[in-house]
Amino acid sequence: MTTSYESVESPDKTTIFSYHDLTPPTTRDIYEARKIVRQYIPSTPLVRSESLSTALDADVYLKREDTLPTSSFKIRGFYNLVNDLNEEFHEPGLITSSMGNHGQGMATAAREFDIPAVIVVPETLKNPTKTDNMERLGATVIAHGRDVDEAREYAEQQAAEDGYRYVHGGNEPHLIAGRASAGLEVMVDCPGVDILINPVGGGSSAAAYALTVGKLLGADVIGVQASGADAVYRAWKDGIVEMQENAETFAEGIKTRTPFALPLEIMQEHLSEMVLVEDDDLRAAIRRLLADDSVLVEGAAASSVAAALQLSDELTGKTVVLPISGSNLSMTKLRAIVHD
């Protein structure tokens, strides 16, 4: 699997990137990526939730991606990408934009391969857990822009000027193939799964599950977005592909104003459904998981549980998998949510 890039200028002279290969990863790509991922990280547990199984009258399992290094699923894709990095980028290194988990994943894999990493975060990111971890992992962290979309534009410009390998948050076949290794694990551990519900920010993880649990196993894969940040939901449902003016949710992991072309293409073909949840439902899901399952999750990860509770009538009697995508919740948010 190869992807080539060139920098071009838009009509307003803003540097953008042309991705010559936005073809979805093949099943072979995914299995090859799993071989690489397995060299660096273990399979994650699939654990039955007795509380949710009882509440939903279903067999509910949590895919504990939060047990990975950096406490997030994001790291899976980066080992696959950095392992295949062109030699020309080894010295200048990688650059990306992130709300935290994506950046931590890149920093970890880059350190493993002794590749420099630069991560642009929004000036509004108020999660020291994530920013401190990126720096501890050896990355250079730059704060720029009001949100991850403005941070991404700045990262693209820096890549064009300084020769970094820019890593997009979703339009990366290597990332999707690496993250699809989680879907292969679900297929082995729970071949009878009927429904898998997964958060959608950029959509790389939902696309990865759609290509494995959905396409290969025939289960229904459902995506979830916050109602205040529904750009991908609108693109998937109504075909409206546009950058929105605002994205409003406390769950930074799914706070994006822009659909990404490659994950969207995969989800439009293989995703069974997409739903929206409210921020109050996300907070309630965080409290519920902490109290009933002793599992700490961040806002984005809570969306799978919030959606399952919302779709309870559809889940009765089914075998359901809920990926717990990450647990990097700041102490400030945790205190406020628990206090509520």
Side-chain angles (χ1 to χ4, degrees):
M1 178 168 48
T2 58
T3 309
S4 56
Y5 308 82
E6 67 177 13
S7 61
V8 298
E9 284 191 345
S10 63
D12 64 357
K13 303 302 180 182
T14 300
T15 302
I16 60 175
F17 279 75
S18 173
Y19 293 81
H20 295 293
D21 183 2
L22 281 183
T23 56
T26 65
T27 300
R28 174 175 289 183
D29 292 332
I30 291 168
Y31 276 93
E32 289 296 323
R34 183 179 66 170
K35 295 177 184 177
I36 296 167
V37 172
R38 276 181 165 175
Q39 296 176 39
Y40 301 99
I41 59 175
S43 297
T44 56
L46 190 68
V47 182
R48 179 180 167 87
S49 170
E50 296 299 338
S51 63
L52 289 169
S53 294
T54 300
L56 297 172
D57 191 21
D59 290 320
V60 181
Y61 296 88
L62 307 179
K63 178 62 171 167
R64 297 291 306 276
E65 295 290 273
D66 59 302
T67 63
L68 289 169
T70 74
S71 302
S72 165
F73 76 94
K74 297 279 190 176
I75 195 170
R76 288 180 180 271
F78 278 107
Y79 282 122
N80 189 45
L81 184 145
V82 181
N83 179 77
D84 199 32
L85 185 66
N86 288 341
E87 185 70 29
E88 66 182 289
F89 296 114
H90 282 209
E91 185 175 341
L94 309 169
I95 190 168
T96 195
S97 61
S98 176
M99 291 297 286
N101 289 341
H102 177 77
Q104 290 181 81
M106 190 178 86
T108 303
R111 184 179 66 174
E112 183 75 36
F113 287 84
D114 197 25
I115 303 293
V118 178
I119 300 158
V120 184
V121 302
E123 295 171 351
T124 53
L125 178 61
K126 305 299 182 184
N127 191 330
T129 300
K130 293 181 176 180
T131 53
D132 289 351
N133 283 346
M134 285 185 277
E135 291 177 337
R136 290 190 193 103
L137 290 163
T140 299
V141 179
I142 299 172
H144 184 91
R146 67 185 175 99
D147 59 20
V148 72
D149 296 290
E150 290 189 358
R152 180 172 58 253
E153 292 172 357
Y154 180 77
E156 291 173 344
Q157 292 171 356
Q158 295 303 113
E161 293 172 7
D162 299 328
Y164 298 111
R165 161 62 157 92
Y166 173 66
V167 181
H168 193 276
N171 292 336
E172 297 279 0
H174 283 80
L175 292 186
I176 294 174
R179 290 165 187 171
S181 61
L184 297 182
E185 293 171 14
V186 171
M187 290 170 59
V188 171
D189 294 340
C190 189
V193 59
D194 298 303
I195 297 172
L196 184 144
I197 306 175
N198 195 70
V200 174
S204 66
S205 179
Y209 281 117
L211 287 173
T212 50
V213 176
K215 180 181 177 181
L216 300 180
L217 202 60
D220 289 324
V221 178
I222 299 173
V224 193
Q225 284 212 295
S227 60
D230 64 347
V232 180
Y233 172 84
R234 294 180 65 193
W236 182 85
K237 186 174 186 293
D238 302 322
I240 302 172
V241 181
E242 62 184 9
M243 177 178 282
Q244 296 180 347
E245 287 296 321
N246 295 291
E248 299 297 336
T249 176
F250 81 95
E252 65 261 16
I254 53 175
K255 186 177 182 179
T256 180
R257 295 185 285 127
T258 309
F260 296 154
L262 181 56
L264 179 61
E265 176 188 342
I266 295 168
M267 289 188 292
Q268 285 177 325
E269 183 172 357
H270 299 292
L271 207 67
S272 300
E273 187 177 354
M274 191 176 290
V275 298
L276 298 176
V277 294
E278 302 296 328
D279 272 16
D280 284 346
D281 298 325
L282 297 178
R283 295 186 182 95
I286 290 172
R287 289 192 293 268
R288 183 178 194 129
L289 280 168
L290 188 58
D292 294 346
D293 292 89
S294 299
V295 176
L296 174 66
V297 300
E298 59 188 88
S303 64
S304 59
V305 175
L309 294 168
Q310 180 175 297
L311 297 170
S312 58
D313 290 345
E314 297 180 31
L315 306 186
T316 302
K318 302 292 181 62
T319 298
V320 182
V321 171
L322 307 177
I324 303 300
S325 58
S327 62
N328 293 304
L329 184 67
S330 72
M331 287 300 297
T332 300
K333 288 180 179 178
L334 177 60
R335 290 190 187 101
I337 290 167
V338 171
H339 177 74
D340 289 342

